[in-house]
Amino acid sequence: MADTGEQEADAQGEPAEERAEPAWLAQVPYALVLSALAAGIVVVAAAYFKRGPAIIAGALLLAAAFRAFLPEQWVGMLAVRRRWVDLVTLVGLAVLLIALAWVAPQLSG
């Protein structure tokens, strides 16, 4: 019989209190970014060519914020390359989309 003072261990030998979060939880930031991107695409498809790219740029900035401030094991599939490469790419694309939204003509119809 085990001592009552000993901690239970899981299959990998880690103490029960120090287990990592479930694997799917690391994909929550990715799912949030994908949801915002999908919303932006739907807005563009509805012929709102100024609002749609702005929403997509916001999703890219959200992804950049997640990538900048969350630890590696929490960002899931948002981590593609080194952190600085991901940040430069995401922020650069967001700035370009904001510029696109700024100069796009407003269609009246």
Side-chain angles (χ1 to χ4, degrees):
M1 288 204 132
D3 257 353
T4 56
E6 290 182 19
Q7 296 177 343
E8 291 182 9
D10 64 1
Q12 287 97 15
E14 294 178 359
E17 295 140 8
E18 296 178 16
R19 288 187 192 142
E21 66 279 343
W24 63 267
L25 198 56
Q27 301 307 324
V28 170
Y30 184 69
L32 290 173
V33 170
L34 279 182
S35 300
L37 284 172
I41 291 170
V42 167
V43 170
V44 169
Y48 292 102
F49 299 112
K50 283 188 170 282
R51 291 184 199 146
I55 293 171
I56 294 171
L60 291 172
L61 290 175
L62 178 66
F66 283 151
R67 186 69 176 105
F69 298 115
L70 290 178
E72 285 289 326
Q73 65 269 18
W74 289 5
V75 292
M77 290 193 301
L78 289 177
V80 178
R81 306 251 181 223
R82 292 187 179 116
R83 186 181 301 247
W84 70 269
V85 174
D86 289 343
L87 288 173
V88 167
T89 303
L90 289 167
V91 171
L93 287 173
V95 167
L96 288 173
L97 278 172
I98 290 170
L100 174 68
W102 185 273
V103 299
Q106 182 66 38
L107 298 177
S108 58

